[in-house]
Amino acid sequence: MEILTSLSEGVQFSIQLIVVLICLFYGAKKGGIALGLLGGIGLLILSFGFAVAPGKPAIDVMLTILAVVVASATLQASGGLDVMLQIAEKILRKNPKFLTILAPFVTCFLTILCGTGHVVYTMMPIIYDIAIKNGIRPERPMAASSISSQLGVIASPVSVAVVSLTALLLNPDLNKHPLAGFDGYVDLLAITIPSTLIGVLAIGIFSWFRGKDLDKDEEFQARLKNPEQKEYIYGDSKTLLGEKLPTIQWIAMWIFLGAIAIVAILGAFPEFRPQFTNAKGAVKPMSMVVTIQMFMLLAGSALIIFTKLDPSKIAKNEIFKSGMIALVAVFGISWMADTMFAVHTPMMKESLGSIVKEHPWTYALMLLLISKFVNSQAAAIAAFVPLALGIGVEPGIIIAFAAACYGYYILPTYPSDLATIQFDRSGTTKIGKYVINHSFIIPGLIGVITSCIAGYFLALSAGYL
């Protein structure tokens, strides 16, 4: 240990950075919960090898993730999510000609309402069926919808990424220069929701014209010559329209949406929240982080009470499983990142602070790349935003470029993208010969870049820049 601690700060930082990157890369390669667990190895090396005092895991963020995930998983277990999906299908089937524009908006709105992009799995077979039966190249709406579902995460009032970013921006220990008039939650959504929708529109417009029409696609037409392939491509339809969903499932949906609406109102009107005296003697309204946690737990308990749901079903669905993976990832990554960067913040501020201030886009680029490494918007925010605030990145820049936390479309390794490829039986949504030239890369870049540009001008007009 003495050998390592006797090295110059620059050398120590380089070695520690390599250790952290190895943990991130290996954890991302293994996938799932491994990403968070690998943070333990990094912590062990930093503390025992370099005598770096352990930092603090993002406890507020983690507790909010827990509350939001449990509420969303309870919604799915109660059947309320099926009601949302059925409504979405009705909209799409009534307007098949505009599928490539409408489908991305539908999946984005579902994410905004539910807080997770994993709701897209149920919509993909429906989008494919509408596309293939109407002669639309399935790649157009399907790739756009997969990207848009994930882009909507940063615009959701109950997403892990939004509550994480809110908690970090409102943390006085991290954000030494809070923005005047910025209360966090609603003010953040006032930027991210419109900028996200502008990005989704750009994705839809591009996708409308991408690729060859099916009747001019030689590869697709060759598949149709095989009767078995043709049957497979135009096979069984999947639909929720024929199902008469019980009234109790509609009640479940309205309970969940009602909780979201109340949270939004309390965020917009702080005077409706209880007032408490803080440690400095100032009277402040209850924080939005605590408010979100409280009402998400309330939503989950109300769903159990009024729908008579068996609680044992909650932990068995996709939303709960993916949410717990995100929780562990944020725990391990945020703790490891805080431990390493906290001790080197002065040095990094001196070396990187001026660069980021002169070229704000470099912040967005770094956040985008980190998101790809960790395959999570919330984990990217938890790992990089505290560092960015520490080296002097303006909070307004962080808000403006919030959409840059979505970068895991760069390589086609994310579950929703891989699932979309499998759902497209026509073979038009695919991974290219060189891997990087896959169906999602251009829609992803267009969506994120457009959202960041829109977010910049929205933040400028709001006085944050």
Side-chain angles (χ1 to χ4, degrees), residues 63-135:
L63 292 177
T64 307
I65 291 172
L66 183 62
V68 170
V69 165
V70 170
S72 298
T74 307
L75 172 72
Q76 183 177 13
S78 66
L81 181 58
D82 289 338
V83 178
M84 293 184 185
L85 294 173
Q86 189 179 68
I87 294 171
E89 183 178 357
K90 287 180 180 178
I91 294 171
L92 294 180
R93 289 196 183 274
K94 285 183 179 179
N95 303 276
K97 292 183 179 179
F98 302 100
L99 179 67
T100 305
I101 297 291
L102 289 177
F105 276 104
V106 166
T107 56
C108 181
F109 276 119
L110 284 172
T111 296
I112 290 173
L113 291 174
C114 299
T116 173
H118 292 288
V119 294
V120 76
Y121 298 125
T122 309
M123 285 304 302
M124 278 306 172
I126 296 169
I127 294 171
Y128 172 78
D129 186 65
I130 299 172
I132 201 69
K133 298 294 173 57
N134 287 275

Side-chain angles (χ1 to χ4, degrees), residues 136-188:
I136 299 170
R137 183 182 181 86
E139 179 189 35
R140 294 171 179 172
M142 294 184 76
S145 297
S146 180
I147 292 295
S148 297
S149 70
Q150 299 301 326
L151 195 63
V153 168
I154 198 62
S156 171
V158 289
S159 76
V160 176
V162 167
V163 296
S164 299
L165 187 53
T166 300
L168 293 171
L169 288 171
L170 293 181
N171 187 335
D173 295 330
L174 294 173
N175 188 3
K176 304 295 184 181
H177 305 286
L179 292 168
F182 181 80
D183 188 41
Y185 188 69
V186 173
D187 293 325
L188 176 62

Side-chain angles (χ1 to χ4, degrees), residues 139-264:
E139 179 189 35
R140 294 171 179 172
M142 294 184 76
S145 297
S146 180
I147 292 295
S148 297
S149 70
Q150 299 301 326
L151 195 63
V153 168
I154 198 62
S156 171
V158 289
S159 76
V160 176
V162 167
V163 296
S164 299
L165 187 53
T166 300
L168 293 171
L169 288 171
L170 293 181
N171 187 335
D173 295 330
L174 294 173
N175 188 3
K176 304 295 184 181
H177 305 286
L179 292 168
F182 181 80
D183 188 41
Y185 188 69
V186 173
D187 293 325
L188 176 62
L189 291 174
I191 303 297
T192 60
I193 290 178
S195 64
T196 295
L197 296 180
I198 292 171
V200 171
L201 178 61
I203 291 171
I205 293 172
F206 161 78
S207 300
W208 188 287
F209 302 100
R210 77 176 307 192
K212 296 179 180 179
D213 292 336
L214 291 179
D215 59 348
K216 298 176 183 177
D217 189 328
E218 298 85 357
E219 187 177 340
F220 176 76
Q221 292 299 321
R223 288 197 191 97
L224 294 184
K225 293 178 181 178
N226 184 326
E228 291 183 1
Q229 279 290 313
K230 185 174 182 179
E231 174 62 26
Y232 172 71
I233 291 170
Y234 289 96
D236 296 335
S237 302
K238 180 167 183 178
T239 178
L240 292 170
L241 295 184
E243 298 183 28
K244 184 174 177 56
L245 300 178
T247 303
I248 199 69
Q249 291 184 218
W250 284 83
I251 293 174
M253 180 191 72
W254 288 117
I255 288 174
F256 186 79
L257 294 182
I260 294 176
I262 293 172
V263 168

